[in-house]
Amino acid sequence: MTRFQSPFVRVCWYLSLAILAVPFVFPFLWMLSGAVKSQTEIFAPTLTLLPETWHWENYAEVFSYQPFARQYFNSLYIACVVTAGTLFISSLAGYALARIRFAGSGLLLLLLISALMMPEEVTIIPNFFLMKWLGLMNTHMPLILLPMFGSQGVMATFLMRQYFTALPPELEEAARMDGLSRFGIFWKVALPLSRPALAAVGIITFLFSWNLFLEPLVFLSDIELFTLPLALSNFTDAYGLPLWHLQMAATSLAVVPILVVYIAAQRQIVESFALSGVKG
Amino acid sequence: MADLTLTGVCKSFGKLEVIRNVDLQIEDGEFVVFVGPSGCGKSTLLRCISGLEDITGGTLTIGGERMNDVPAAKRGVAMVFQSYALYPHLRVRENMGFGLKVRKVAKPEIERRVDEAARTLKLDSLLDRFPRELSGGQRQRVAIGRAIVGNPEVFLFDEPLSNLDAELRVHMRAEISGLHKRLGNTMIYVTHDQIEAMTLADKIVVLRDGMVEQIGSPRDLYYRPVNTFVAQFIGSPKMNLFDASGLPANILDTARPAPRAARAGLRPEDIRVLPSADGPVTGRVVNNEYTGAGSLLHLDLEGLGQCLAIYSGGDAPDEGAHVSVEFDRSRLYWFDEQERNVAIG
């Protein structure tokens, strides 16, 4: 929209945008609404966004139904470890692929990118046997190692590599003239300048780990070790049917960290996605 | 002492030879300018001196010490880049002191040197700004300041003014010249702009295809070019070259030094254009470029072909006008078949 539009045109634009936003906003509102409704009211013939009776106790029940606090913590610490580890590995690997000339670097990059083409459903069985062989079944290690060194790690490395490739080489040369070693250049020049890319990789990785479902389903059997996506699917009655009010309440709690991160770093996240798109 | 000696210096990228057997002596405190057309290897030669590129053959000494395998940071040189290469995440003060910090110089000493350089370059009020908050000229001054604070023995400038507009370029040129006079360090400056080379240099090194064509003072190069390449590269507008066979007999008889002088060179300012078309050499004005102080005429001379002439009188002849020209015979340069200046041999 340009700055000189008439108020009428502007109102039309906002109206159109508001209408277009409905399909995206409605499920979220429905989740919040369902979280404080009774199971019966959710399926009432009349569709209401505000509940007749507010059932705040749903939130308490979420925690008594299964060890939800423990599962919440599991998800949180796994996502943090995966994010930190991925940032560390992908920034180093991305820098090496972008800036260090070594034999076979092109081939290595090609191999890495080709790994992105492989759906994780294809690799889950070999990974299952690998983790079993390593004695890591029913531990959190597969949920940490697989994202860091699997397709998500590759994606992160590729993003970082693209960003480092776009950094002006003169900056590194100036740093060399100033007396920095290769690692010094990475640490003191390249890494501080790649904050937007690090933010992008960080948020993508955190989301990826936070939403991981297949791996916890395959590798975990102890309910104390469950992560949130698995725990959410576990709010069922004796017949295995979903308890929607509890699922909605638990889900609304599960989105809190994501929302906090997004609101705190909204500008940087949007910038970083735009930047990685342009530079890539 | 920061004299530099390059002996048989070569640089290759794979099979591509970029610098070929360069011999050069630079005295302490000299301002040397490398000039040449794009791709001639002038920046590569500078980078070889800086240590950013390895030398593949020959020897480089600075202050008598062999530097071939010495890392860039330990050569006692500082470089000012074309793109300034300021660290975007650091303020001006931090940018200028960065190198000293890396070398673990004490903080008060860093502050003293940064403040001193900032005063010299009139950057005092900009020390707390980020590079993005500076104009092109200010950024360039910061880049020079960053070089100054390290107290290098040799300053290297890689086309430092090419990103600036024409007016600022003239101003910064004067600043760099003033800086050289104040500091007295050895400076090596790369440019493709021969006006910059002429105005700044004590000594100019003209390069072509990775080889040195001529080394000398600006006057030397202007008045005693060794070949047609240097003759045409130094001076603006460039020197005209004519086949000697096309020149009028009276010029050939009186001015040609030897029969082997196959080509004659004459600078545009040494050609006098007359409005009447009845002289010994006549022609037509193809284009008239008004430059304010005068006009640059593109002429098509009968028997000699295209040439340039500066018309500094009143109204210059219009395009299409028939004119005659007079050559200043004392200013003619003569070149042999191999394009070498006959007077130099």
Side-chain angles (χ1 to χ4, degrees), chain B residues 115-265:
Chain B
D115 288 340
E116 195 180 303
R119 267 198 307 279
T120 308
L121 294 162
K122 299 184 185 72
L123 290 167
D124 316 54
S125 58
L126 308 175
L127 285 174
D128 291 318
R129 292 201 194 166
F130 283 103
R132 62 175 175 272
E133 297 165 342
L134 304 176
S135 68
Q138 289 168 335
R139 285 181 202 184
Q140 191 53 269
R141 289 220 298 275
V142 175
I144 295 170
R146 187 170 64 179
I148 288 176
V149 293
N151 281 342
E153 295 194 68
V154 182
F155 284 93
L156 307 174
F157 294 90
D158 189 5
E159 304 204 31
L161 307 184
S162 53
N163 285 351
L164 304 179
D165 61 51
E167 196 184 345
L168 199 55
R169 194 182 291 193
V170 173
H171 175 73
M172 287 304 295
R173 205 166 67 201
E175 283 207 14
I176 290 174
S177 176
L179 192 73
H180 178 242
K181 286 189 181 83
R182 276 202 302 281
L183 301 176
N185 293 49
T186 309
M187 292 188 178
I188 306 176
Y189 189 105
V190 163
T191 181
H192 59 264
D193 180 343
Q194 49 92 18
I195 298 284
E196 263 175 37
M198 297 289 276
T199 51
L200 287 170
D202 296 322
K203 185 193 272 179
I204 295 178
V205 179
V206 183
L207 291 149
R208 178 167 61 159
D209 296 335
M211 288 196 294
V212 173
E213 289 288 320
Q214 189 172 359
I215 300 170
S217 69
R219 275 180 185 279
D220 260 354
L221 265 58
Y222 191 78
Y223 290 113
R224 291 173 56 80
V226 292
N227 55 27
T228 55
F229 176 78
V230 177
Q232 288 206 296
F233 196 80
I234 299 295
S236 178
K238 68 176 187 177
M239 180 188 280
N240 298 297
L241 285 177
F242 306 109
D243 276 337
S245 57
L247 290 168
N250 62 334
I251 293 180
L252 282 178
D253 294 344
T254 56
R256 183 150 80 159
R260 68 191 169 94
R263 305 191 82 190

Side-chain angles (χ1 to χ4, degrees), chain A residues 196 199 261-274, chain B residues 132:
Chain A
V261 171
Y262 186 78
I263 291 166
Q266 189 177 9
R267 206 180 122 206
Q268 198 159 22
I269 290 163
V270 173
E271 271 176 10
S272 62
F273 278 109
Chain B
R132 62 175 175 272

Side-chain angles (χ1 to χ4, degrees), chain A residues 10-11 118 123 125 129 137 169 202 207 209 216 222 224 239 261:
Chain A
R10 199 172 282 208
V11 167
M118 196 86 76
T123 54
I125 293 172
F129 283 110
M137 290 301 289
L207 281 173
S209 172
D222 186 348
E224 285 276 340
Y239 304 103
V261 171

